[in-house]
Amino acid sequence: MNPRTILLVEDNPSDIGLTKRALEKSHIANELIVAEDGQEALEYLFDIDPLTGLFLNELPALILLDLKLPKVDGLQVLRQIRADERTSRLAVVILTTSTEEYDVAQSYDLGANSYIRKPVDFNQFVEAIQHLGLYWLVMNEPAPPKKR
């Protein structure tokens, strides 16, 4: 696990830019990897070298996951993350505009660590990102990977 990496799974270019600016303004210098749809996120997390059978990418310390994604929706991405022994304990924060009670309930039922609705106001968004970064990247003790 790379303690410096954040995987942002977001399809809206404006929200990607907003998140990048909020991270910069919050002085969170962690490497940000962006997957613009659910399939891209899964390929990043589960990309295996066909010759060695080893995973090609290190796991991120934190996944910021939107729910309303093309190709594979966020709930399905979360379902697959939690179903795999290697990724089941990753910190996954749902970061979405969805206010649907079903999405909140399903996210927690599938093992999301937190559910945050994106504020429309930039200053509120920056504050939310600051708190996320402080808690998940500094204060929180990440779960060790499961042993096989």
Side-chain angles (χ1 to χ4, degrees):
M1 184 178 328
N2 184 344
R4 300 195 189 288
T5 303
I6 300 169
L7 175 61
L8 173 64
V9 188
E10 174 62 66
D11 65 316
N12 183 319
S14 296
D15 285 348
I16 292 169
L18 186 68
T19 303
K20 286 179 179 179
R21 286 192 305 278
L23 288 167
E24 289 169 8
K25 189 168 174 111
S26 301
H27 305 290
I28 298 171
N30 300 64
E31 178 184 4
L32 182 69
I33 296 165
V34 178
E36 294 187 15
D37 60 59
Q39 184 62 42
E40 190 178 332
L42 292 171
E43 287 170 3
Y44 176 83
L45 291 168
F46 299 108
D47 195 12
I48 297 175
D49 184 324
L51 297 175
T52 65
L54 299 174
F55 287 95
L56 293 174
N57 300 308
E58 287 193 38
L59 294 177
L62 175 64
I63 299 173
L64 302 176
L65 178 63
D66 190 15
L67 293 182
K68 308 303 182 189
L69 297 167
K71 296 185 183 176
V72 178
D73 72 33
L75 291 174
Q76 186 58 36
V77 171
L78 179 60
R79 188 174 285 113
Q80 290 188 41
I81 288 169
R82 292 303 185 232
D84 188 275
E85 194 173 83
R86 181 176 165 265
T87 58
S88 66
R89 292 183 175 174
L90 289 177
V92 179
V93 174
I94 305 300
L95 187 59
T96 187
T97 56
S98 175
T99 58
E100 296 175 35
E101 187 175 318
Y102 172 83
D103 287 339
V104 177
Q106 277 295 108
S107 295
Y108 282 117
D109 287 347
L110 292 171
N113 297 95
S114 185
Y115 190 102
I116 298 174
R117 287 192 187 95
K118 295 179 201 169
V120 177
D121 177 75
F122 178 69
N123 290 327
Q124 287 178 335
F125 189 70
V126 168
E127 188 174 326
I129 293 295
Q130 280 177 324
H131 292 297
L132 273 173
L134 177 63
Y135 181 76
W136 290 107
L137 300 170
V138 178
M139 295 174 64
N140 184 58
E141 180 70 33
K146 286 186 177 178
K147 296 189 179 182
R148 293 181 179 204

